[in-house]
């Protein structure tokens, strides 16, 4: 093929891709999510360790274990905001966090979590438990399943777009030692300012002083798919997430990044420079984006001692 023909082919491919992207209308609202999100389809597409996303899943489980082990308050109460039915993110945490609350705005998701706790989920998590058990040097993965089922004490509805996360419920939810939230704030909010506001509310209300948050955020994408359904994502950059964490009063940041396009992980400290760039685009789908895992610790209250 001549150079000229190559250039023409690339231009046509670019135009076709942009046309396809612009014709996609993602679901935006909570009502859309309730109606169209199928947790079992989601788990099968993204969390089956034999799927095309297995590299990311294994990487994220390794990083979650490492971050949890480094927490200053690495035990006690944990609140997961935006479960998606993905119980694998809680396996390592259940070693030390014996009071876990799981929340999501979809009743179908909450039913899937309840099914796991009752040991009648139709999704097979066995290979994931074996993988995490190997990370912990635990020969009996079934023991870790039992441990997690026992640690999940509360399953309830929540919505990060509300000022009161659990409204209209009036049941008290105490502050926790760790908040874990994955692919939630950027899926639920419409602007970077909304993302930052939601994170600030969560930090102020639910994290104990000295406690921490672990966020998993999809970077620089505008929509994602489950089979024939397309869902909104806020286009957000790593710098936006870091700024939101700092604005919420979180410190001791530990940020790790995974390039989904090249499958190259990048680990960062608070002031590190990214050595592997994440691709940028106007309209990206899930496979063209990067994913960030970030940990931040809430500042301890300063006690003034009288002179």
């Amino acid at each position: 093929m001549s150079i000229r023909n190559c250039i023409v082919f690339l231009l046509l491919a670019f135009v076709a891709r942009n046309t396809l992207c612009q014709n996609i209308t993602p679901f935006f609202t909570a009502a859309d999510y309730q109606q169209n999100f199928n947790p079992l389809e989601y788990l099968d597409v993204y969390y089956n360790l034999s799927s095309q996303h297995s590299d990311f899943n294994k990487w994220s489980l390794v990083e979650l274990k490492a971050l949890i082990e480094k927490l200053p308050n690495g035990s006690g109460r944990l609140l997961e905001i935006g479960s998606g039915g993905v119980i694998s993110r809680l396996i390592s945490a259940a070693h030390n966090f014996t009071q876990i609350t799981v929340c999501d705005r979809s009743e179908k998701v909450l039913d899937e979590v309840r099914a796991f706790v009752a040991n009648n989920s139709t999704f097979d998590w066995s290979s994931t438990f074996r993988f995490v058990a190997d990370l912990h040097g635990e020969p009996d993965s079934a023991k870790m399943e039992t441990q997690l089922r026992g640690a999940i004490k509360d399953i309830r509805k929540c919505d990060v777009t509300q000022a009161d996360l659990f409204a209209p419920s009036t049941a008290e939810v105490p502050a926790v030692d760790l908040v874990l939230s994955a692919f939630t704030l950027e899926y639920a909010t419409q602007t970077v300012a909304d993302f930052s506001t939601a994170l600030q509310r969560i930090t102020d209300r639910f994290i104990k002083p000295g406690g921490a948050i672990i966020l998993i955020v999809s970077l620089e994408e505008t929509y994602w798919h489950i089979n024939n359904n397309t869902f909104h994502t806020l286009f957000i950059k790593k710098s936006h997430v870091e700024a939101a964490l700092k604005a919420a009063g979180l410190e001791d940041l530990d940020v790790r990044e995974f390039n989904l396009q090249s499958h190259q992980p990048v680990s960062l400290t608070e002031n590190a420079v990214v050595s592997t760039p994440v691709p940028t685009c106007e309209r990206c789908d899930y496979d063209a984006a990067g994913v960030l895992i970030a940990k931040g610790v809430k500042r301890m209250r300063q006690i003034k001692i009288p002179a």
Side-chain angles (χ1 to χ4, degrees):
M1 184 182 290
S2 68
I3 293 176
R4 180 181 176 181
N5 287 342
C6 284
I7 292 172
V8 171
F9 175 80
L10 290 172
L11 286 172
L12 289 173
F14 177 78
V15 170
R17 180 184 184 279
N18 281 354
T19 302
L20 175 64
C21 291
Q22 291 166 1
N23 288 337
I24 291 174
T25 304
F27 296 120
F28 279 96
T29 68
D32 287 331
Y33 179 72
Q34 292 274 14
Q35 180 177 350
N36 296 288
F37 182 83
N38 183 319
L40 287 174
E41 287 185 354
Y42 176 62
L43 295 176
D44 189 54
V45 170
Y46 291 109
Y47 290 94
N48 186 327
L49 284 192
S50 62
S51 77
Q52 62 177 313
H53 303 287
S54 62
D55 284 353
F56 164 71
N57 285 320
K58 291 175 181 178
W59 173 82
S60 65
L61 292 170
V62 170
E63 297 297 344
L64 280 171
K65 175 181 179 292
L67 288 173
I68 288 167
E69 289 175 345
K70 291 172 62 178
L71 293 174
N73 294 341
S75 62
R77 293 182 179 274
L78 184 154
L79 170 62
E80 184 184 31
I81 299 174
S83 162
V86 186
I87 58 88
S88 56
R89 294 190 285 257
L90 298 171
I91 301 173
S92 288
H95 257 332
N96 298 316
F97 291 91
T98 57
Q99 301 282 328
I100 296 177
T101 296
V102 175
C103 79
D104 196 279
R105 65 182 180 183
S106 165
E107 282 294 342
K108 288 184 284 188
V109 166
L110 299 179
D111 285 343
E112 179 57 30
V113 178
R114 293 183 186 107
F116 167 77
V117 172
N119 200 16
N120 61 12
S121 172
T122 58
F123 187 79
D124 183 6
W125 288 106
S126 59
S127 60
T128 304
F129 272 96
R130 284 195 298 271
F131 178 81
V132 179
D134 287 343
L135 294 179
H136 287 267
E138 171 58 63
D140 185 3
S141 61
K143 179 181 177 181
M144 300 193 79
E145 290 192 48
T146 301
Q147 186 178 55
L148 179 54
R149 289 191 175 96
I152 298 174
K153 306 296 188 186
D154 193 9
I155 301 169
R156 60 172 62 201
K157 196 165 185 177
C158 65
D159 186 346
V160 298
T161 64
Q162 298 182 136
D164 183 348
L165 184 69
F166 293 105
S169 172
T170 58
E172 180 66 17
V173 178
V176 298
D177 302 282
L178 175 63
V179 167
L180 174 61
S181 185
F183 305 121
T184 298
L185 298 186
E186 73 276 25
Y187 288 1
T189 56
Q190 301 297 316
T191 68
V192 172
D194 291 342
F195 180 100
S196 186
T197 298
L199 178 59
Q200 182 75 68
R201 284 197 297 254
I202 291 166
T203 302
D204 290 345
R205 170 63 183 84
F206 294 106
I207 304 177
K208 295 178 182 178
I213 187 167
I214 295 176
L215 289 180
I216 304 180
V217 180
S218 188
L219 296 175
E220 302 187 20
E221 68 172 353
T222 54
Y223 60 91
W224 60 283
H225 309 279
I226 306 177
N227 296 332
N228 294 323
N229 287 327
T230 304
F231 294 88
H232 157 79
T233 307
L234 171 67
F235 186 93
I236 193 165
K237 296 183 177 182
K238 180 178 74 72
S239 59
H240 296 143
V241 178
E242 290 179 327
L245 288 164
K246 292 175 182 177
L250 297 159
E251 53 192 17
D252 189 24
L253 300 188
D254 190 343
V255 182
R256 293 127 190 260
E257 195 173 337
F258 191 87
N259 186 326
L260 283 168
Q261 189 176 55
S262 62
H263 299 287
Q264 293 178 350
V266 183
S267 293
L268 308 173
T269 59
E270 185 165 358
N271 298 312
V273 177
V274 180
S275 58
T276 303
V278 176
T280 59
C281 57
E282 293 299 322
R283 304 284 286 179
C284 303
D285 70 10
Y286 186 89
D287 291 324
V291 175
L292 172 151
I293 297 182
K295 179 266 297 178
V297 178
K298 186 174 181 178
R299 297 188 187 105
M300 296 290 291
R301 291 193 182 97
Q302 297 296 319
I303 300 175
K304 295 183 178 179
I305 301 176

